[in-house]
Amino acid sequence: MSDIAATASGKGHKDENFPVASLFAPRHRAAVLAFYDFVRAADDISDHATLPGDQKIAMLDRMEAALLGSGEDIPVASRLRAELAERGLEPRHAQDLLIAFRRDVTQLRYRDWDDLIDYCRYSAMPVGRFVLDVHGEDRARTWGPNDALCAALQIINHLQDCAKDYRNLDRVYLPQDILAANGAGVEMLAAERASPQLAATLRALAERTQELLKESAPFADLIADTRLAMEVGAIQRLAETLTARLRVADPLSEKVHASKRQYLLTALAGAGTTLLRRLVSPRVAAASVAP
């Protein structure tokens, strides 16, 4: 087993908070899963609890070299490179994610909201952009709302896992200026439950996330591919549900991830609503395929 394979967490696409390739047509699923497997391997490197930082960076550099075909044979990189070549796609989205994973090694704090969104530009937005490119969707129509939704999903994960990230990796994605404005400090993340100051910070960030989700609300109706639109509708509904919960829940002492039953019902509601709009509203269907 290679040193890169040895860092694997064992987590797969079915363990994620949001759907991964669940509704995609078979012709797209292989590319999406190859992308996921590459990103999962790189994420496991950056999140490894005991590897030194310089070793993590070196391994991520090797992942990129393998993706570009100029380094050793790393299976997850080779599979993604083959899928990209078959579809005539560039590796830029995977490379952007590698920038984020390197940043996870070297940057443990974020100044403000803009600093956090810049991180999301590399850590989250490329995922949706890749899926859109695989489906041949119009970048001009879809990348804006995609970026808002992907940033929201990333920040939801940051809020859910804020205590774990701090305790295990000393990473704090909560912007320093918002913490300070509420009289909170990063050390409060080590407590068994959120202090009033930390709770106010988390609530403020959940509210900012709700604004992102307002920006992404039209996304599903801008997508030509109906299956992909349903997937996005499911993710949008799940994100809205989790963000509403994060406004009132304490991720330090409460479970804020959706249960399997909640996940399924919420996702089905979002996907079904998206499909229903296409069936009953000719304007929505027409907008989704307009040039």
Side-chain angles (χ1 to χ4, degrees), residues 42-240:
D43 195 17
D44 286 344
I45 292 169
S46 70
D47 284 351
H48 199 280
T50 60
L51 282 177
D54 57 350
Q55 187 174 347
K56 291 181 180 182
I57 296 294
M59 294 170 77
L60 292 170
D61 289 346
R62 288 164 53 202
M63 292 277 290
E64 182 167 20
L67 175 66
L68 299 177
S70 60
E72 66 196 276
D73 180 24
I74 299 173
V76 291
S78 299
R79 285 198 299 273
L80 178 56
R81 188 172 72 249
E83 292 289 345
L84 294 175
E86 183 177 331
R87 290 163 174 75
L89 298 175
E90 298 179 350
R92 59 174 291 191
H93 302 309
Q95 289 178 284
D96 281 346
L97 283 155
L98 289 172
I99 291 172
F101 296 138
R102 293 186 186 100
R103 193 176 294 184
D104 278 336
V105 177
T106 61
Q107 182 175 346
L108 301 179
R109 303 289 186 269
Y110 289 82
R111 282 189 318 276
D112 51 31
W113 180 259
D114 289 343
D115 199 18
L116 181 59
I117 293 297
D118 183 67
Y119 170 76
C120 294
R121 158 67 183 84
Y122 295 99
S123 69
M125 298 175 191
V127 176
R129 291 180 179 187
F130 172 79
V131 172
L132 291 167
D133 281 357
V134 166
H135 284 75
E137 296 288 338
D138 184 346
R139 291 181 173 186
R141 289 169 59 80
T142 59
W143 273 24
N146 165 80
D147 292 354
L149 179 57
C150 289
L153 299 178
Q154 180 71 87
I155 295 167
I156 289 167
N157 284 336
H158 291 334
L159 297 178
Q160 289 175 323
D161 297 337
C162 60
K164 182 177 72 174
D165 287 339
Y166 176 66
R167 294 167 185 164
N168 296 346
L169 297 164
D170 191 32
R171 283 188 202 150
V172 179
Y173 295 101
L174 312 183
Q176 298 293 291
D177 67 334
I178 300 179
L179 282 164
N182 288 287
V186 297
E187 69 282 352
M188 293 180 179
L189 291 166
E192 292 185 0
R193 61 182 61 251
S195 67
Q197 297 89 340
L198 181 58
T201 300
L202 298 172
R203 185 166 57 250
L205 289 167
E207 290 168 357
R208 295 290 293 267
T209 304
Q210 285 182 319
E211 293 302 312
L212 289 171
L213 291 172
K214 289 179 183 177
E215 292 180 37
S216 66
F219 185 18
D221 294 335
L222 298 174
I223 295 171
D225 186 280
T226 296
R227 288 193 185 204
L228 179 58
M230 292 171 66
E231 185 96 0
V232 168
I235 293 171
Q236 175 79 23
R237 183 68 67 90
L238 284 164
E240 290 170 349

